[in-house]
């Protein structure tokens, strides 16, 4: 009964609903508009497939496997890349919250600090006005790390970067100012290949420490992985965005 409910649910809610509607339109158009019908069936198939966990995992797994998480990371500073935030929202000791990927990166950064006791650089912007004051994702992350017991004086923030390229570019002066040479780079596993490339282009040698994994590796997690869901569609989008970004970085495209 559980499986039947899940199948029905996945087909009457987006994105499965979109695939079903387009397929129905293709069926009714088949006799009079055969080429249009075939195109509609193709679109329905693409929407359906890209919304399944099987396809999403197949796309994102190579990105997440590119750099294994080191058991004994080497470096003299932890660099955490931003991953999204909600500005102006209530928090325990201030305003603003980190989104899912950013929160996972922050948790990993805090645990690495407990293990290594290294200074931390948070690179995440841009600044936005909240109640007449500038606030950035990096400032939110610093406040949360301090509330977890990490000394404020060991956390440096870079508040202006808008993308990974600027994360690397704007972090470089902070590293030089504090005579730091080998960062342990913390970002989502799916994002690590592009991040390493951007830091290498800026002359920064890093130890990759991936986190925030999206693809499960155990077979039990693939139950009903053939059904469409918004979660799987989000993972597919993440993977495709990273592939495009990696190619753009390889070609030297800015922005």
């Amino acid at each position: 009964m559980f499986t039947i409910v899940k199948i029905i649910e996945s087909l009457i809610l987006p994105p499965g609903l979109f695939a079903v509607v387009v397929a129905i339109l293709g069926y009714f158009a088949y006799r009079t508009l055969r080429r249009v019908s075939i195109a509609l069936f193709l679109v329905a198939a693409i929407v359906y497939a890209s919304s399944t966990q099987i396809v999403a995992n197949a796309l994102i797994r190579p990105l997440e496997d590119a750099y294994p998480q080191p058991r004994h990371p080497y470096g003299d500073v932890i660099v955490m890349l931003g991953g999204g935030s909600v500005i102006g929202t209530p928090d325990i000791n201030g305003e603003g919250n980190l989104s899912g990927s950013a929160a996972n990166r922050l948790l990993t950064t805090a645990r690495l600090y407990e293990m290594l006791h290294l200074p931390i650089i948070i690179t995440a912007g841009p600044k936005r006005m909240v109640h007449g004051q500038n606030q950035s994702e990096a400032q939110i992350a610093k406040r949360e790390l301090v509330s977890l017991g990490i000394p404020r004086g060991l956390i440096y923030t870079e508040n202006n970067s808008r993308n990974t390229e600027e994360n690397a570019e704007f972090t470089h002066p902070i590293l030089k100012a504090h005579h730091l040479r080998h960062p342990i780079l913390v970002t989502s596993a799916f994002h690590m290949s592009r991040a390493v490339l951007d830091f290498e282009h800026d002359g920064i040698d890093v130890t990759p420490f991936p986190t925030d994994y999206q693809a499960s590796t155990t077979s039990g997690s693939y139950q009903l992985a053939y059904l469409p869901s918004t979660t799987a569609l989000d993972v597919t989008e993440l993977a495709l965005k990273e592939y495009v970004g990696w190619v753009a970085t390889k070609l030297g495209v800015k922005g």
Side-chain angles (χ1 to χ4, degrees):
M1 188 63 183
F2 173 82
T3 300
I4 295 175
V5 170
K6 286 297 180 182
I7 291 174
I8 295 174
E9 184 181 80
S10 69
L11 296 179
I12 64 174
L13 295 174
L17 175 64
F18 298 149
V20 170
V21 170
V22 173
I24 291 173
L25 291 175
Y27 173 78
F28 284 110
Y30 186 73
R31 289 189 177 181
T32 56
L33 300 168
R34 185 160 296 187
R35 290 185 178 180
V36 173
S37 174
I38 292 172
L40 289 172
F41 279 127
L42 181 60
V43 169
I46 292 173
V47 171
Y48 188 98
S50 61
S51 304
T52 63
Q53 201 65 51
I54 292 174
V55 171
N57 284 3
L59 287 171
I60 209 163
R61 180 71 58 72
L63 295 169
E64 297 193 331
D65 289 346
Y67 291 95
Q69 192 179 89
R71 303 188 72 175
H72 304 287
Y74 165 77
D76 55 7
V77 62
I78 302 166
V79 173
M80 171 189 150
L81 304 190
S85 61
V86 181
I87 302 295
T89 52
D91 196 14
I92 291 176
N93 62 343
E95 288 188 343
N97 295 264
L98 299 184
S99 63
S101 287
N104 285 336
R105 298 174 191 183
L106 180 130
L107 181 58
T108 296
T109 297
R111 294 171 71 187
L112 279 175
Y113 174 81
E114 290 300 317
M115 181 193 305
L116 304 170
H117 296 283
L118 296 174
I120 297 169
I121 298 174
I122 308 167
T123 168
K127 291 181 179 178
R128 286 169 282 186
M129 293 297 294
V130 180
H131 302 149
Q133 294 182 334
N134 283 324
Q135 189 177 92
S136 71
E137 181 182 337
Q139 291 169 326
I140 294 172
K142 179 174 181 175
R143 171 173 51 78
E144 294 186 352
L145 287 175
V146 170
S147 72
L148 293 173
I150 299 175
R152 183 180 299 273
L154 291 180
I155 306 173
Y156 309 110
T157 58
E158 181 286 300
N159 303 293
N160 299 305
S161 55
R162 299 164 297 178
N163 54 34
T164 313
E165 178 189 346
E166 291 184 352
N167 287 152
E169 180 184 351
F170 299 163
T171 297
H172 207 162
I174 301 176
L175 294 171
K176 283 188 174 182
H178 297 279
H179 308 289
L180 301 167
R181 297 179 179 173
H182 195 90
I184 299 172
L185 185 63
V186 177
T187 190
S188 300
F190 61 82
H191 181 241
M192 187 59 78
S193 292
R194 181 155 61 104
V196 168
L197 200 57
D198 275 315
F199 274 76
E200 286 179 348
H201 283 178
D202 218 70
I204 305 172
D205 184 31
V206 302
T207 295
F209 200 96
T211 186
D212 185 42
Y213 289 86
Q214 303 295 313
S216 299
T217 58
T218 57
S219 59
S221 62
Y222 286 89
Q223 185 181 19
L224 305 181
Y226 54 85
L227 295 179
S229 69
T230 53
T231 301
L233 186 60
D234 286 343
V235 174
T236 296
E237 181 185 5
L238 282 175
L240 294 177
K241 177 184 176 182
E242 286 305 314
Y243 285 119
V244 171
W246 185 87
V247 171
T249 301
K250 271 288 189 181
L251 295 176
V253 177
K254 301 291 184 180

